[in-house]
Amino acid sequence: MCDLKQSRYEQAHMKTTLSLWSIFKAPFWLFVVSLAGIMLALFVDSTWDWLATLLVSSAVAIPVFFYLRAKFS
Amino acid sequence: MQATAIKRWEWIHKWSSLISTAFLLMLCITGLPLIFHDEIDAALNPDTWTPANPQAEHLKLDQILEIALQARPGEAPIYMSFDTERPVVNVTSGPSADAPGNQMHFASYDLTSGNIVPPANVGEDFMEFILQLHTDMFLGLPGMLFLGAMGILFVLASISGVVIYRQYMRNLAFGTVRQSKSKRLKWLDYHNLLGITSLAWVLVVSITGVINTLEKPILETWRSQNLDKLIESYNEAAVSKNKTIASVDASLDKAIEAARQAAPDMTLQFVAFPGSEFSTRQHLAIFLHGNSPFTKEIITPVLVDATDGKVIGKQEMPWYANALSLSRPLHFGDYGGLGLKIVWAILNSFTIAILITGLYLWWKKHVRLKAKQV
């Protein structure tokens, strides 16, 4: 647990400057997934709507995850 | 990135946000109940209505139109639309077919008896107020265009936010929230995290919002270019902008049947009478839509001569009108069931948080700079 906290701290306060791709890798994939969900819901109906909703809700789940992690770690 | 370029992007982010924040807050707050418009309507107006003669043959639409106009003497028909789940036809009438929205009268009729269906209008005034505030702030077209400009500023703020995100995150892992540091840093981290994660949704909703504000110019362009072209291709002499609004002498049922034959794989959506915003002064415009989840958002008009019932032709809507049709569901999130609506509402709340944290960060910086100057 202590090691995990330590690594998170190090991760959060890196001494080196991150590359452009390192900064935007996660946001890029999140953008693609949530946009895919928004568009998918236009082309499908009924049960497939849930898959679309799930994809869009990644934009909700990720900040909630980091909020909870910051709050309770 | 060079320091001057960063400063320039920061300037764009600051001013595009500051100018639009108050209006965007209003749009986000009024947008929340609009996402759940159907659910609010259903909760306030439980559907207890049943048709008078469920087994009876449906009345002709000509009969319904006659009943509707008898109930509103001296008025002209403007639109007729069809309930998808009940045998109900809705007739919109007004002092003239080109009457403004606030002079229109809407009534629903039972197709099995011709009786008026009691209006489900509990809470309608409130929702109408919210919709009007959200759409044009009670200012008509200038209000719509102004809100469209605010939407463009929001797109600019989002894009500039992504550019300067790089600067703030160059030494931080994605999702970092410096909980133990100052309040300002914590709010900055939340602002960045919420902003970057909801980017796709924010861009879709703001761009479609801007397109929606162009509704009137888009419809006007479509009417003046495409409808006239369609009529010209049939009979050039028939195009006359000053012609008075034609009365509907042809049978409505026959006109709809003819339109259905012209577009056999489509479903009837609504009829626009001569002189209304969606038709010409001489024709019935019968709108049909496709049957797949995507094509049901796209409408196609079939023009029928109001005097003799002859089909003038069918024409696909131009790309900008289709963009407008698709922008409505994409803006309000009401196209993928309740689950998607809930996600839409949460992301809308995130946007409120982004706006408030942004305002807080600007204020803190402003106060700090002022203190430095002193």
Side-chain angles (χ1 to χ4, degrees):
Chain A
M1 189 66 189
C2 188
D3 285 349
L4 189 68
K5 267 192 176 178
Q6 183 70 20
S7 71
R8 273 183 194 157
Y9 181 83
E10 283 168 1
Q11 223 185 345
H13 299 86
M14 280 175 265
K15 296 270 185 275
T16 53
T17 304
L18 292 167
S19 68
L20 189 66
W21 178 240
S22 305
I23 295 169
F24 283 107
K25 189 168 62 178
F28 170 77
W29 287 117
L30 197 55
F31 183 93
V32 170
V33 169
S34 51
L35 189 63
I38 290 169
M39 292 302 160
L40 182 67
L42 261 187
F43 292 92
V44 294
D45 245 347
S46 59
T47 45
W48 284 96
D49 274 337
W50 285 102
L51 175 66
T53 304
L54 203 68
L55 294 178
V56 186
S57 50
S58 60
V60 173
I62 300 289
V64 168
F65 167 77
F66 283 113
Y67 169 77
L68 294 174
R69 197 182 78 166
K71 200 93 181 155
F72 298 110
S73 66
Chain B
M1 196 183 280
Q2 284 184 338
T4 48
I6 295 165
K7 276 200 167 163
R8 202 171 296 147
W9 280 108
E10 277 183 336
W11 185 90
I12 293 171
H13 189 66
K14 183 174 93 173
W15 286 107
S16 56
S17 310
L18 275 179
I19 294 166
S20 59
T21 291
F23 298 99
L24 292 173
L25 272 172
M26 178 276 288
L27 289 172
C28 288
I29 292 165
T30 54
L32 269 174
L34 292 175
I35 295 169
F36 298 106
H37 188 269
D38 294 333
E39 285 74 12
I40 293 170
D41 273 355
L44 293 175
N45 301 285
D47 191 9
T48 52
W49 179 84
T50 49
N53 311 302
Q55 307 303 327
E57 199 178 318
H58 290 181
L59 296 178
K60 300 268 182 209
L61 294 176
D62 288 312
Q63 289 173 285
I64 295 286
L65 185 62
E66 201 181 323
I67 294 167
L69 294 179
Q70 273 171 7
R72 305 288 298 175
E75 291 202 347
I78 303 174
Y79 301 115
M80 181 179 273
S81 62
F82 310 90
D83 200 316
T84 51
E85 282 155 19
R86 308 176 303 171
V88 170
V89 173
N90 310 301
V91 179
T92 306
S93 59
S96 66
D98 53 1
N102 58 5
Q103 288 178 24
M104 289 180 189
H105 176 263
F106 180 90
S108 302
Y109 293 89
D110 181 353
L111 259 176
T112 68
S113 65
N115 297 337
I116 282 199
V117 177
N121 58 2
V122 178
E124 195 185 70
D125 288 346
F126 172 73
M127 291 307 281
E128 193 56 42
F129 173 83
I130 295 286
L131 181 64
Q132 196 88 37
L133 189 60
H134 188 89
T135 312
D136 62 8
M137 301 186 297
F138 304 94
L139 296 171
L141 185 60
M144 281 176 104
L145 296 177
F146 178 79
L147 289 178
M150 294 301 109
I152 292 170
L153 283 180
F154 192 36
V155 172
L156 206 58
S158 304
I159 292 168
S160 55
V162 173
V163 177
I164 59 174
Y165 174 83
R166 183 189 176 187
Q167 286 309 114
Y168 289 107
M169 299 304 288
R170 62 184 179 216
N171 302 114
L172 296 172
F174 172 70
T176 301
V177 176
R178 287 164 290 183
Q179 196 80 21
S180 56
K181 299 276 179 178
S182 70
K183 197 176 168 187
R184 198 188 73 83
L185 278 180
K186 190 174 78 177
W187 281 51
L188 174 66
D189 290 341
Y190 279 128
H191 181 80
N192 286 340
L193 178 62
L194 290 175
I196 203 75
T197 52
S198 59
L199 182 69
W201 181 86
V202 162
L203 286 179
V204 167
V205 171
S206 47
I207 291 169
T208 53
V210 172
I211 296 172
N212 283 331
T213 64
L214 300 173
E215 182 183 355
K216 282 189 179 168
I218 285 175
L219 287 178
E220 197 50 53
T221 309
W222 164 73
R223 205 162 61 150
S224 65
Q225 291 187 356
N226 292 68
L227 276 190
D228 281 355
K229 256 187 204 164
L230 183 63
I231 303 159
E232 268 171 36
S233 66
Y234 176 75
N235 176 7
E236 207 164 324
V239 186
S240 166
K241 289 197 172 98
N242 298 323
K243 204 169 176 179
T244 51
I245 296 170
S247 59
V248 183
D249 298 330
S251 158
L252 191 58
D253 291 279
K254 282 184 183 163
I256 288 174
E257 191 45 45
R260 277 193 165 129
Q261 280 174 8
D265 299 325
M266 302 186 91
T267 303
L268 178 65
Q269 185 159 327
F270 74 99
V271 178
F273 286 85
S276 68
E277 200 176 10
F278 284 85
S279 191
T280 71
R281 297 173 88 81
Q282 305 127 55
H283 301 93
L284 287 162
I286 297 167
F287 285 83
L288 303 107
H289 64 77
N291 295 315
S292 75
F294 180 71
T295 57
K296 76 177 175 197
E297 307 291 349
I298 310 276
I299 51 173
T300 300
V302 175
L303 273 194
V304 177
D305 196 307
T307 50
D308 59 16
K310 276 187 188 159
V311 172
I312 304 295
K314 179 184 91 160
Q315 196 175 57
E316 304 293 328
M317 295 291 262
W319 67 268
Y320 50 85
N322 286 337
L324 177 67
S325 297
L326 289 173
S327 288
R328 289 188 190 119
L330 280 172
H331 186 71
F332 289 106
D334 56 355
Y335 62 104
L338 184 61
L340 192 68
K341 286 185 181 185
I342 293 169
V343 175
W344 227 254
I346 297 171
L347 288 167
N348 191 11
S349 309
F350 279 6
T351 310
I352 295 175
I354 294 165
L355 293 169
I356 293 171
T357 51
L359 210 54
Y360 170 84
L361 292 167
W362 167 78
W363 179 247
K364 276 283 178 192
K365 198 174 178 181
H366 181 74
V367 167
R368 211 175 44 182
L369 284 175
K370 239 183 174 179
K372 255 187 188 175
Q373 281 171 355
V374 171

